[in-house]
Amino acid sequence: MEQDDDLLQHKELGIRHNRPRLGGSGNSELQQELTKAKNSWYNLWFRTLQNSGRYMDCCEAEGVHSLRHLYEDFGDVRTSFPTWWMTTGRKLFAERRPVPKVEMHCKLNELSHIQNMKDRVVLEVPLTLRRSTVIRQINKLLDEAYEEREPVVPRKVSTAIRKLNSSKMQMDTVRRMLAVYECRVKFPNFSLYRIALKTELDIEFQLRSKTGKPMTDEQKRVRYGIEVSRLLRQSRLLIENAEAGIFPCIKPPGQEEVDTDAID
């Protein structure tokens, strides 16, 4: 069943909402949605495409470009995120089928809609038992039901037109990558150390000497330079993968993705 045109669900935002109507009373809900979207992976994907020279060329050519397949979905990103979200993003990332949810039925005729038992179980709960006993027994039954099933990865089962890549990357990591990349583009003559200062890069966790002594200014400059260099390299891979419709991902062609959590 296709998603209702007047109802949108975004897994990453954790909300189910109606389309705003002119003159309606949904402005506060819309603002909440925009706030969540701005702080989500959706905004980071949008921002990554804005940093892609190839995709900017594609937007300039109105899609007559080798990235036309991406343009058909994402459209022109040479605008503000709220504008793009309302015209393109919110439908692009919305689930096209309702996201399943756990339901409770208290009458037998409420079970008539269940046509098959594929990917579901029905539990009988005697309300004469204590709640703690019921929960314990339910957990045991669910453990049995899930035992031989593959772990559920929400992004993989998404029905959105464009799906986020299943990754262990953190949003703050991607924000640092993009901040450093944008600074390099804006100030191409800056040293790596100056880029670190300009972007207020916080790598105190790395500023430790193996001898336990305070690091010298020169040692700190070297550490900052190494970190900025790493982030620039990863940001280019992030952009390259976004151009291929894969986000977030910093996987070099033909290699396994690097777990950035381990090196943050």
Side-chain angles (χ1 to χ4, degrees), residues 153-252:
V153 181
R155 289 183 180 179
K156 288 187 177 180
V157 297
S158 171
T159 59
I161 296 173
R162 287 285 177 172
K163 307 175 186 179
L164 286 161
N165 183 45
S166 296
S167 171
K168 294 181 180 180
M169 293 176 66
Q170 300 294 315
M171 284 194 286
D172 283 343
T173 303
V174 174
R175 290 190 183 104
R176 286 198 296 273
M177 291 178 193
L178 294 176
V180 166
Y181 183 86
E182 289 164 355
C183 186
R184 167 59 89 192
V185 171
K186 189 174 182 180
F187 305 104
N189 296 322
F190 272 18
S191 66
L192 297 179
Y193 179 64
R194 195 171 179 187
I195 289 176
L197 297 181
K198 185 72 175 178
T199 58
E200 299 181 342
L201 194 61
D202 181 13
I203 57 172
E204 288 300 320
F205 63 93
Q206 290 194 0
L207 300 183
R208 295 188 292 269
S209 170
K210 293 182 179 179
T211 64
K213 297 179 181 179
M215 298 184 69
T216 65
D217 289 342
E218 183 58 30
Q219 286 175 321
K220 289 181 180 180
R221 283 177 176 270
V222 171
R223 287 290 182 89
Y224 272 114
I226 291 173
E227 178 67 3
V228 170
S229 180
R230 180 180 74 91
L231 290 171
L232 283 172
R233 183 175 65 255
Q234 291 179 341
S235 64
R236 294 186 186 101
L237 289 170
L238 185 78
I239 293 170
E240 183 179 337
N241 279 290
E243 292 170 350
I246 305 170
F247 184 87
C249 181
I250 55 171
K251 177 178 63 177

Side-chain angles (χ1 to χ4, degrees), residues 11-263:
K11 284 187 174 183
E12 297 293 321
L13 303 186
I15 56 176
R16 177 185 176 109
H17 49 86
N18 293 310
R19 295 181 185 278
R21 301 184 187 279
L22 295 177
S25 59
N27 287 339
S28 62
E29 291 183 4
L30 177 58
Q31 287 305 315
Q32 290 177 8
E33 176 192 335
L34 283 172
T35 298
K36 285 185 177 242
K38 285 179 184 177
N39 292 308
S40 74
W41 284 108
Y42 303 138
N43 187 22
L44 291 175
W45 199 340
F46 169 82
R47 186 174 159 192
T48 300
L49 288 177
Q50 284 186 320
N51 279 288
S52 164
R54 290 184 64 213
Y55 195 72
M56 289 297 98
D57 291 343
C58 183
C59 291
E60 181 69 28
E62 297 183 345
V64 183
H65 190 275
S66 60
L67 296 181
R68 61 185 177 277
H69 64 286
L70 205 62
Y71 186 84
E72 289 173 357
D73 290 338
F74 287 87
D76 197 336
V77 298
R78 296 174 300 169
T79 184
S80 68
F81 177 75
T83 298
W84 178 84
W85 177 256
M86 294 306 302
T87 59
T88 304
R90 71 196 315 255
K91 186 169 184 179
L92 177 63
F93 294 117
E95 297 300 314
R96 288 178 287 176
R97 292 187 178 86
V99 178
K101 62 180 181 179
V102 176
E103 296 182 314
M104 180 176 69
H105 304 287
C106 299
K107 298 179 181 178
L108 284 175
N109 60 5
E110 293 177 348
L111 300 175
S112 60
H113 71 284
I114 300 178
Q115 300 299 317
N116 63 71
M117 296 300 295
K118 186 180 185 316
D119 295 330
R120 71 175 74 202
V121 295
V122 175
L123 302 178
E124 179 184 349
V125 180
L127 297 180
T128 53
L129 294 177
R130 288 189 306 170
R131 184 189 181 101
S132 59
T133 300
V134 168
I135 292 175
R136 184 174 65 253
Q137 293 183 7
I138 285 178
N139 284 336
K140 182 179 179 180
L141 291 172
L142 289 179
D143 286 343
E144 294 174 2
Y146 277 98
E147 187 174 5
E148 296 182 0
R149 296 179 65 87
E150 291 292 326
V152 177
V153 181
R155 289 183 180 179
K156 288 187 177 180
V157 297
S158 171
T159 59
I161 296 173
R162 287 285 177 172
K163 307 175 186 179
L164 286 161
N165 183 45
S166 296
S167 171
K168 294 181 180 180
M169 293 176 66
Q170 300 294 315
M171 284 194 286
D172 283 343
T173 303
V174 174
R175 290 190 183 104
R176 286 198 296 273
M177 291 178 193
L178 294 176
V180 166
Y181 183 86
E182 289 164 355
C183 186
R184 167 59 89 192
V185 171
K186 189 174 182 180
F187 305 104
N189 296 322
F190 272 18
S191 66
L192 297 179
Y193 179 64
R194 195 171 179 187
I195 289 176
L197 297 181
K198 185 72 175 178
T199 58
E200 299 181 342
L201 194 61
D202 181 13
I203 57 172
E204 288 300 320
F205 63 93
Q206 290 194 0
L207 300 183
R208 295 188 292 269
S209 170
K210 293 182 179 179
T211 64
K213 297 179 181 179
M215 298 184 69
T216 65
D217 289 342
E218 183 58 30
Q219 286 175 321
K220 289 181 180 180
R221 283 177 176 270
V222 171
R223 287 290 182 89
Y224 272 114
I226 291 173
E227 178 67 3
V228 170
S229 180
R230 180 180 74 91
L231 290 171
L232 283 172
R233 183 175 65 255
Q234 291 179 341
S235 64
R236 294 186 186 101
L237 289 170
L238 185 78
I239 293 170
E240 183 179 337
N241 279 290
E243 292 170 350
I246 305 170
F247 184 87
C249 181
I250 55 171
K251 177 178 63 177
Q255 296 183 28
E256 292 298 321
E257 184 170 354
V258 177
D259 185 353
T260 56
D261 289 346
I263 53 180

